[in-house]
């Protein structure tokens, strides 16, 4: 049958369909139909309507017109798309095949389906172009193409809109006109890098919208080259990251604040810790002080009470003994009074209430008297007192009582913290601008770790096993007295070897 058909190109690769003269029934369908429509030739011959199942509905009208023309005997063609399945589409061309008798056209013999490969490619291209266009127009991102000099050739509507422009308002204009003033230099830098490279470059760019808003886009851009590797433009797609950026800024800001807050908290915590430890230390010292002072008070009180009771109960006590006991009572009472004075003094000084009662006196004489006061105490421990005080008078303007207190405290300590048969050296010299006293002993000394605290009130060196009674007020008072007289006190001490105090006090300036 096929050979009856005229005018079919020799290497025709398409489909041939032949119908009867009334175009009612198909009498031949080439087996190649299956490739394009998915139905076998028998299936199509049995039910020609199946063809329409695969024809893209958009072409129905054209195809139907073609059939009408065919019946009218008009030569006709129609192009249409067959959708075999989602991924397989073909562009086919219907062409009526005329039958000639001699040179006279008799009637149309049938329909030839031609499959144009090149047409197919075009269709697919058109199709993907269509899809691309849809994508281009619906994308929320900013998509654009610039020419070699940086002018917009193409920009998608949504992208333009996000900058408050219409596409046409942007086309032909240079990209720099749309960049925010503050972002221009960094954009130019990024743009230079982009032009120098052949790969996709990503960089953030601050645009300025038509009405002055700053909008940051993260651009993925690439240069476009011609066949001679010459740059003919730039294609780019940009994502609006303005909100991301401002969120990032806020995050950064917050995290800085967090770090700062943490630092402040930790500083505060350290300070609180320090405060607590100072308070704890003070508390410990106070407790220690209370127990020391109670002990110190109790000892003289016990002898006072004990000796007075003895005198009271023993009427036959010889006068000599009574006198001796009375002296002890008196001494102990004085000791008590001194102690109470120390406590009061310290609190006076603490409260800033110390007022120096300054008079002019010979400080050598005061020192000599103070030494005499500890002589008996030293003798009791068989301690040698070596004293080198010049005989001449050295005048100072100072509080005599306080200076006495100062010397007595230091001298008492030098005996108290000395060893049996030890030595105490007292030296004084007139240095013309100042008066220097050195009180040195061969006693137990002060451990190096205690030295920095030795002048703090209530501070006492703990000497487990050989605790020597005291309140820890003496040296604090000494220091306060020296300070108030604008003098200087220094010390050196070695554990188990001894301690030396050096005191310098200003001399009376006769001219002043
Ligand atoms: P107290 O003698 O009442 O304990 P001080 O303030 O006079 O208080 O002395 C404080 C501490 O310094 C004493 O506990 C003692 O351990 C130490 N100290 C003072 N003077 C000497 C000294 N000459 N030799 C050794 N230790 C001393």
């Amino acid at each position: 049958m096929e050979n009856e058909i005229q005018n079919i190109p020799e290497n025709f690769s398409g489909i041939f369909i032949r119908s009867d003269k009334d175009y009612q029934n198909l009498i031949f369908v080439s087996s190649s139909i299956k490739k394009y429509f998915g139905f076998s030739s028998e299936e199509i011959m049995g039910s020609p309507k199946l063809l329409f199942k695969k024809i893209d509905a958009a072409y129905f009208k054209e195809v139907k017109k073609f059939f009408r023309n065919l019946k009218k005997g008009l030569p006709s063609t129609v192009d249409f798309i067959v959708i075999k399945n989602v991924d397989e589409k073909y562009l086919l061309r219907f062409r009526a095949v005329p039958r000639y008798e001699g040179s006279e056209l008799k009637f149309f013999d049938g329909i030839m389906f031609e499959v144009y490969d090149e047409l197919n490619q075009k269709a697919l291209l058109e199709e993907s172009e269509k899809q691309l266009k849809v994508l281009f127009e619906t994308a929320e991102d900013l998509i654009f193409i610039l020419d070699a000099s940086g002018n917009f050739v193409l920009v998608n509507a949504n992208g333009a809109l996000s900058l408050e422009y219409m596409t046409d308002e942007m086309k032909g204009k240079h990209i720099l006109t749309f960049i925010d003033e503050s972002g221009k230099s960094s954009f130019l830098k990024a743009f230079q890098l982009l032009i120098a490279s052949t790969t996709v470059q990503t960089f953030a760019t601050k645009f300025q919208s038509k009405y002055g808003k700053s909008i940051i886009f993260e651009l993925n851009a690439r240069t476009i080259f011609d066949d001679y590797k010459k740059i003919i433009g730039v294609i780019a797609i940009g994502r609006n990251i303005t909100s991301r950026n401002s969120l990032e800024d806020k995050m950064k800001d917050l995290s800085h604040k967090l770090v700062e807050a943490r630092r402040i908290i930790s500083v505060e915590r350290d300070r609180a810790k320090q405060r607590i430890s100072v308070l704890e230390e003070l508390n410990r010292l106070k407790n220690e002080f209370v127990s020391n002072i109670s002990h110190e008070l109790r000892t003289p009180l016990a002898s006072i009470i004990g000796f007075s009771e003895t005198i009271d109960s023993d009427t036959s006590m010889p006068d000599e003994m009574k006198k001796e006991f009375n002296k002890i009572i008196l001494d102990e009472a004085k000791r008590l009074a001194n102690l109470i004075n120390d406590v009061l003094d310290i609190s006076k000084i603490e409260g800033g209430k110390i007022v120096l009662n300054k008079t002019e006196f010979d400080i050598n004489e005061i020192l000599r008297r103070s030494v005499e006061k500890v002589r008996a105490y030293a003798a009791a421990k068989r301690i040698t007192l070596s004293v080198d005080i010049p005989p001449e008078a050295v005048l100072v303007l100072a509080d005599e009582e306080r200076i006495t207190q100062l010397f007595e405290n230091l001298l008492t300590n030098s005996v108290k913290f000395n060893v049996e048969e030890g030595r105490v050296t007292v030296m004084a010299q007139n240095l013309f601008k100042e008066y220097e006293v050195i009180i040195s002993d061969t006693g137990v000394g002060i451990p190096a770790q205690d030295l920095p605290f030795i002048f703090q009130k209530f501070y006492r060196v703990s000497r487990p096993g050989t605790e020597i009674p005291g309140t820890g007020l003496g040296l604090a008072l000494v220091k306060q007295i020296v300070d108030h007289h604008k003098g200087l006190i220094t010390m050196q001490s070695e554990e188990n070897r001894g301690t030396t105090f050096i005191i310098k006090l200003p001399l009376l300036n006769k001219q002043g």
Side-chain angles (χ1 to χ4, degrees):
M1 275 222 268
E2 227 168 317
N3 54 5
E4 292 174 30
I5 297 162
Q6 300 182 351
N7 298 326
I8 295 187
E10 257 176 34
N11 53 358
F12 177 66
S13 64
I15 314 155
F16 187 75
I17 295 177
R18 193 177 191 192
S19 72
D20 59 16
K21 275 185 189 164
D22 310 320
Y23 304 105
Q24 287 305 316
N25 296 303
L26 298 181
I27 52 173
F28 175 78
V29 174
S30 63
S31 59
S32 55
I33 190 103
K34 179 133 193 172
K35 183 178 168 201
Y36 302 101
F37 281 83
F39 299 111
S40 67
S41 49
E42 289 76 24
E43 282 173 311
I44 298 291
M45 278 209 284
S47 171
K49 279 190 179 139
L50 283 177
L51 290 175
F52 278 91
K53 278 204 160 169
K54 295 290 179 178
I55 293 173
D56 185 340
Y59 297 89
F60 281 180
K61 235 169 105 183
E62 291 293 306
V63 175
K64 281 178 179 156
K65 191 172 152 200
F66 167 82
F67 278 110
R68 281 201 301 277
N69 285 343
L70 207 63
K71 282 184 185 172
K72 285 181 200 158
L74 299 169
S76 185
T77 62
V78 62
D79 290 343
F80 62 94
I81 285 178
V82 170
I83 306 169
K84 186 180 172 190
N85 56 50
V86 193
D87 322 305
E88 255 183 288
K89 294 175 188 172
Y90 299 98
L91 180 93
L92 299 185
R93 174 169 288 177
F94 257 4
R95 189 152 65 84
V97 183
R99 175 175 274 263
Y100 294 93
E101 266 171 23
S103 61
E104 198 184 342
L105 169 75
K106 275 290 171 197
F107 65 97
F108 289 95
D109 191 37
I111 313 156
M112 193 162 71
F113 288 68
E114 287 175 347
V115 182
Y116 290 96
D117 267 356
E118 129 213 35
L119 267 180
N120 262 330
Q121 272 170 15
K122 205 176 118 209
L124 288 175
L125 213 65
E126 271 172 12
E127 188 65 10
S128 59
E129 254 170 32
K130 243 203 289 181
Q131 285 170 352
L132 208 67
K133 217 171 157 196
V134 171
L135 193 71
F136 185 72
E137 288 310 331
T138 53
E140 289 298 321
D141 295 334
L142 170 69
I143 306 169
F144 60 86
I145 293 176
L146 304 176
D147 65 15
S149 30
N151 298 317
F152 278 98
V153 176
L154 200 73
V155 56
N156 66 325
N158 281 341
L161 264 183
S162 65
L163 292 171
E164 297 165 332
Y165 286 102
M166 300 302 289
T167 320
D168 289 342
E169 288 178 288
M170 293 182 77
K171 270 189 201 162
K173 293 217 182 94
H174 198 273
I175 185 162
L176 261 187
T177 18
F178 302 94
I179 306 289
D180 190 283
E181 208 45 56
S182 68
K184 274 188 180 158
S185 75
S186 75
F187 171 76
L188 284 173
K189 251 183 239 159
F191 207 77
Q192 270 160 10
L193 281 180
L194 169 70
I195 285 171
S197 106
T198 52
T199 55
V200 173
Q201 300 286 309
T202 305
F203 52 93
T205 298
K206 201 176 194 181
F207 283 83
Q208 194 184 50
S209 80
K210 190 170 173 180
Y211 300 110
K213 260 196 286 176
S214 290
I215 299 171
I216 303 166
F217 278 95
E218 186 179 74
L219 294 183
N220 287 296
R222 219 199 62 181
T223 42
I224 318 167
F225 296 96
D226 66 7
D227 292 345
Y228 306 100
K229 302 240 157 71
K230 199 175 132 248
I231 294 175
I232 53 168
V234 167
I235 182 161
I237 175 160
R239 166 147 305 166
N240 188 339
I241 56 161
T242 314
S243 58
R244 188 174 93 192
N245 254 37
S246 72
L247 276 178
E248 267 170 16
D249 283 353
K250 273 186 199 146
M251 286 274 285
K252 257 189 224 154
D253 193 41
L254 276 178
S255 82
H256 282 150
K257 283 192 176 138
L258 194 69
V259 169
E260 208 175 298
R262 284 214 185 107
R263 203 169 42 228
I264 291 170
I265 289 172
S266 96
V267 168
E268 282 300 318
R269 200 180 287 143
D270 283 354
R271 272 169 49 178
K273 260 193 219 151
Q274 262 170 24
R275 246 174 269 146
I276 289 170
S277 71
V278 166
L279 285 177
E280 279 172 354
E281 176 66 5
L282 270 179
N283 202 27
R284 194 186 63 76
L285 290 172
K286 282 234 159 90
N287 287 340
E288 215 178 282
F289 170 70
V290 168
S291 83
N292 286 340
I293 199 141
S294 324
H295 177 79
E296 291 285 296
L297 291 171
R298 214 182 289 123
T299 324
L301 262 181
S303 20
I304 292 170
I305 294 168
F307 285 105
S308 354
E309 271 176 358
T310 318
I311 297 170
D312 194 45
S313 57
D314 187 357
T315 40
S316 61
M317 187 183 276
D319 274 1
E320 250 336 272
M321 204 177 205
K322 247 190 220 163
K323 239 189 191 165
E324 201 183 308
F325 281 13
N326 261 332
K327 182 161 185 327
I328 295 174
I329 291 170
L330 195 66
D331 283 350
E332 290 299 318
K334 275 186 187 157
R335 212 176 114 190
L336 252 184
N338 277 340
L339 188 68
I340 290 165
N341 278 342
D342 270 4
V343 175
L344 288 179
D345 271 351
I346 260 301
S347 64
K348 232 198 248 170
I349 289 173
E350 291 262 286
K353 284 185 208 135
I354 187 170
V355 183
L356 295 181
N357 180 19
K358 287 190 179 176
T359 54
E360 208 181 300
F361 60 90
D362 173 11
I363 195 163
N364 270 344
E365 179 56 27
I366 296 298
L367 183 59
R368 248 178 252 124
R369 273 192 231 160
S370 302
V371 171
E372 287 320 304
K373 276 199 198 137
V374 293
R375 198 170 281 286
Y377 184 22
K381 282 176 95 171
R382 291 192 302 282
I383 286 167
T384 313
L385 270 179
S386 97
V387 183
D388 181 8
I389 304 171
E392 79 266 9
V394 174
L395 289 180
V396 291
L397 180 66
D399 188 324
E400 192 180 317
E401 216 183 301
R402 295 289 177 198
I403 299 292
T404 309
Q405 204 177 10
L406 157 65
F407 290 152
E408 280 181 14
N409 268 329
L410 291 177
L411 288 165
T412 315
N413 279 350
S414 67
V415 176
K416 185 160 127 189
F417 298 103
N418 215 323
V419 289
E420 293 269 331
E421 297 182 343
R423 169 185 293 274
V424 172
T425 308
V426 182
M427 287 186 287
Q429 51 178 326
N430 182 351
L431 297 176
F432 301 104
K433 273 201 169 158
E434 50 194 9
Y435 178 72
E436 184 189 65
V437 185
I438 299 170
I439 299 172
S440 195
D441 66 61
T442 54
V444 293
I446 298 165
Q449 78 258 22
D450 292 300
L451 285 174
F453 314 105
I454 213 70
F455 290 111
Q456 279 175 18
K457 60 175 178 166
F458 306 134
Y459 194 87
R460 307 189 65 240
V461 176
S462 99
R463 295 187 171 91
T466 55
E467 209 62 64
I468 303 161
T471 53
L473 289 176
L475 285 185
L477 252 176
V478 163
K479 174 89 167 78
Q480 293 283 353
I481 293 168
V482 173
D483 285 351
H484 275 84
H485 281 90
K486 300 194 169 59
L488 193 77
I489 180 161
T490 50
M491 70 166 317
Q492 275 175 10
S493 189
E494 263 183 291
E495 216 178 345
N496 299 322
R497 303 201 88 140
T499 307
T500 303
F501 284 93
I502 303 169
I503 303 102
K504 285 180 177 158
L505 291 168
L507 283 178
L508 180 67
N509 187 351
K510 284 279 178 195
Q511 280 89 38

